[in-house]
């Protein structure tokens, strides 16, 4: 490519040519050579196409806990975010080497921005401020944790105010609209909004009845599953609150209707995901009976309309696919929107449920999952876009 006739064209001409590509095609083109990667990463080109390209929905993987621990001990960062394009059926990477930290761990995303836990700068020098208007918080010390928000496509990033390591270990990070972050635990929650003049976390009590399971944030509504049963038998219930209610120390409310019946009792180890159009997805193994150690006959996806508070079945894993998870002692669920992904020990690939534009769910396998893991992959949906600014 270094000797290609394309190199003889002016940069403005190249920008005009490649501006007619879709975001998916631009990302693939950047992998061709260093010259195209540099051309398609320039600020002039990004500015030209930033308002023309719709978001690209991708499945992103978190590093395994074992790999994360190994990198922490050896001070080597995760240098890329592995993502899967469900349209092209192709794995590719977004480099993260532009982040000047000894260790960083991707956890979630929202509105085209990626959120990561970071520990320790790579050098004693100051961390550059990408967005100068608000004064940047101090760089994290060797023993502290901080949240980074970045756009891997434009290589822009910003540090959120510093946090203690306990929030990283025990808190669930929920992100909604840009620059609004909530870290939730059983007893407390902290909230940060980039739209306020204060550059600090707001802390308030959460007072949940138990450790929240798979909490989600939909608009301003926080939902979480909590176990209100006994030490011998779990009993899951759905709780709801808002950021405003938590700030004014108001309690969580239990969401329930008589018409729901035993909906929480038929699922084994249920999880929540944020669905399309502000719907809630609840996923779990469908129990064969109500006995304590009941086996599961399949994996069920239920969908809740928050306006009508009515449940419906969205998907049921096919028997030939569930057979692989039935032999697995444990499985994980991740995704959101129109995509729900499943991983399991010794399965060796991911199972994907994807809802099409007509509202019909389709099941298929995803192979070639990168990285060394025990098979229990975790991840999230990343809506890649070029005009998202940290």
């Amino acid at each position: 490519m270094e000797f290609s006739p394309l190199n003889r064209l002016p940069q403005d001409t190249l920008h005009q040519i490649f501006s007619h590509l879709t975001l998916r095609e631009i990302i693939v083109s950047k992998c061709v050579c260093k010259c195209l990667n540099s051309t398609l990463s320039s600020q002039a080109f990004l500015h030209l196409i930033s308002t023309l390209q719709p978001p690209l929905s991708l499945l992103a993987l978190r590093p395994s806990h074992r790999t994360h621990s190994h990198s922490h001990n050896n001070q080597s960062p995760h240098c890329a975010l592995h993502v899967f394009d469900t349209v092209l059926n192709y794995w590719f990477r977004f480099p993260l080497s532009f982040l000047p930290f000894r260790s960083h761990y991707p956890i979630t995303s929202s509105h085209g921005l990626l959120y990561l836990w970071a520990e320790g700068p790579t050098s004693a020098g100051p961390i550059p401020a990408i967005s100068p208007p608000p004064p940047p918080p101090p760089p994290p010390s060797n023993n502290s944790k901080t949240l980074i928000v970045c756009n891997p496509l434009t290589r822009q990033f910003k540090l959120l105010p510093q946090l203690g390591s306990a929030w990283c270990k025990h808190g669930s990070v929920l992100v909604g609209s840009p620059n609004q972050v909530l870290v939730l635990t059983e007893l407390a929650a902290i909230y940060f909004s980039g739209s306020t003049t204060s550059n600090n976390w707001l802390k308030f009590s959460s007072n949940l009845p138990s450790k929240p399971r798979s909490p989600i944030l939909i608009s301003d509504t926080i939902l979480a599953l909590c176990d209100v049963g006994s030490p011998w038998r779990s009993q899951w219930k759905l709780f709801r609150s808002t950021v405003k209610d938590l700030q004014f120390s108001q309690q969580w409310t239990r969401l329930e209707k008589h018409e729901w019946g035993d909906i929480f009792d038929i699922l084994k180890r249920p999880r929540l995901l944020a669905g399309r159009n502000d719907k809630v997805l609840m996923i779990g193994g469908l129990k064969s009976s109500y006995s304590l150690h009941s086996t599961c006959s399949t994996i069920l996806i239920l969908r809740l309309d928050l306006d009508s508070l009515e449940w419906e079945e969205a998907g049921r894993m096919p028997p030939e696919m569930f057979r692989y998870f039935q032999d697995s002692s444990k499985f994980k669920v991740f995704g959101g929107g129109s995509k729900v992904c499943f991983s399991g020990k010794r399965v060796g690939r991911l199972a994907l449920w994807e809802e099409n534009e007509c509202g019909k769910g389709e099941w298929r396998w995803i192979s070639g999952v990168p990285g060394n893991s025990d098979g229990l992959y975790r991840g999230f949906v990343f809506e890649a876009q070029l005009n998202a600014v940290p």
Side-chain angles (χ1 to χ4, degrees):
M1 182 67 187
E2 280 70 16
F3 304 101
S4 169
L6 278 176
N7 289 340
R8 302 175 185 175
L9 294 176
Q11 285 291 302
D12 289 348
T13 303
L14 281 175
H15 292 170
Q16 289 296 331
I17 293 173
F18 283 97
S19 67
H20 294 281
L21 299 182
T22 65
L23 180 56
R24 178 179 286 107
E25 292 167 335
I26 291 172
I27 292 173
V28 173
S29 298
K30 290 176 65 174
C31 302
V32 171
C33 65
K34 292 181 179 179
C35 178
L36 271 183
N37 180 63
S38 176
T39 298
L40 303 182
S41 300
S42 67
Q43 289 299 317
F45 179 71
L46 294 177
H47 177 73
L48 175 65
I49 67 171
S50 61
T51 59
L52 305 176
Q53 301 291 343
L56 177 60
S57 183
L58 304 167
L59 283 171
L61 291 183
R62 294 180 183 175
S64 68
H65 291 298
R66 182 172 55 186
T67 306
H68 177 53
S69 174
H70 179 78
S71 84
H72 166 76
N73 294 332
N74 291 277
Q75 299 185 358
S76 59
H78 302 291
C79 291
L81 177 72
H82 293 276
V83 297
F84 182 77
D85 188 330
T86 59
V87 174
L88 297 180
N89 289 322
Y90 181 74
W91 287 98
F92 57 95
R93 307 188 311 159
F94 288 125
L96 299 176
S97 54
F98 62 92
L99 295 172
F101 298 95
R102 185 179 69 237
S103 175
H104 45 76
Y105 181 74
I107 47 173
T108 189
S109 71
S110 178
H111 295 274
L113 298 175
L114 177 67
Y115 292 78
L116 312 91
W117 283 114
E119 181 176 9
T122 54
S123 65
I127 294 176
I130 304 299
S131 302
S141 64
N142 290 337
N143 297 320
S144 67
K145 302 285 184 179
T146 193
L147 273 171
I148 317 169
V149 53
C150 74
N151 187 337
L153 279 68
T154 62
R155 303 169 69 89
Q156 292 180 305
F157 70 93
K158 182 176 70 174
L159 278 69
L160 299 186
Q162 201 167 310
L163 289 171
S165 59
W167 290 103
C168 172
K169 185 175 181 181
H170 303 290
S172 299
V173 179
L174 310 178
V175 291
S177 56
N179 293 318
Q180 288 189 318
V181 187
L182 180 77
V183 186
L184 180 67
T185 69
E186 177 182 351
L187 300 177
I190 52 175
Y191 176 71
F192 176 83
S193 175
S195 60
T196 61
T197 55
S198 172
N199 196 39
N200 295 309
W201 292 93
L202 301 176
K203 185 176 181 180
F204 33 81
S205 298
S206 59
N207 294 323
L208 281 164
S210 69
K211 181 180 179 180
R213 183 177 181 83
S214 60
I216 58 175
L217 181 62
I218 299 179
S219 298
D220 192 45
T221 301
I222 312 161
L223 296 122
L225 289 169
C226 290
D227 186 359
V228 297
S230 66
W232 302 274
R233 191 181 186 98
S234 296
Q235 186 180 4
W236 296 99
K237 295 296 180 182
L238 182 61
F239 288 82
R240 176 171 65 179
S241 187
T242 66
V243 174
K244 184 177 180 180
D245 288 342
L246 289 181
Q247 290 182 28
F248 290 99
S249 302
Q250 297 185 26
Q251 297 295 317
W252 292 73
T253 57
R254 183 189 294 189
L255 274 186
E256 54 187 352
K257 287 180 67 177
H258 177 74
E259 291 79 4
W260 289 2
D262 53 5
I263 195 167
F264 295 104
D265 298 326
I266 64 173
L267 293 183
K268 187 173 184 179
R269 295 181 62 82
R271 292 94 160 163
L272 298 179
L273 288 176
R276 296 169 66 180
N277 303 320
D278 292 343
K279 303 280 181 74
V280 179
L281 300 177
M282 184 166 67
I283 304 102
L286 180 60
K287 295 180 182 178
S288 302
S289 68
Y290 291 107
S291 63
L292 184 59
H293 300 291
S294 172
T295 59
C296 296
S297 59
T298 188
I299 294 175
L300 196 63
I301 303 175
L302 300 177
R303 181 166 44 218
L304 174 66
D305 187 316
L306 287 175
D307 293 328
S308 64
L309 293 182
E310 293 183 354
W311 290 95
E312 63 177 350
E313 182 176 325
R316 185 180 296 233
M317 185 176 285
E320 63 273 14
M321 182 178 282
F322 176 69
R323 183 170 65 248
Y324 292 90
F325 289 89
Q326 195 171 21
D327 297 334
S328 177
S329 58
K330 197 174 184 182
F331 70 90
K332 295 293 181 182
V333 179
F334 62 91
S338 61
K339 300 177 179 67
V340 181
C341 215
F342 302 84
S343 67
K345 282 189 174 181
R346 299 181 298 276
V347 174
R349 48 186 173 171
L350 302 177
L352 174 67
W353 174 86
E354 189 169 15
E355 186 180 14
N356 59 29
E357 293 299 325
C358 300
K360 182 181 179 182
E362 299 174 348
W363 294 86
R364 60 188 173 105
W365 289 106
I366 297 176
S367 301
V369 188
N372 297 319
S373 176
D374 55 4
L376 289 174
Y377 294 94
R378 301 159 178 85
F380 48 89
V381 170
F382 176 50
E383 300 282 347
Q385 50 186 295
L386 290 163
N387 57 352
V389 180

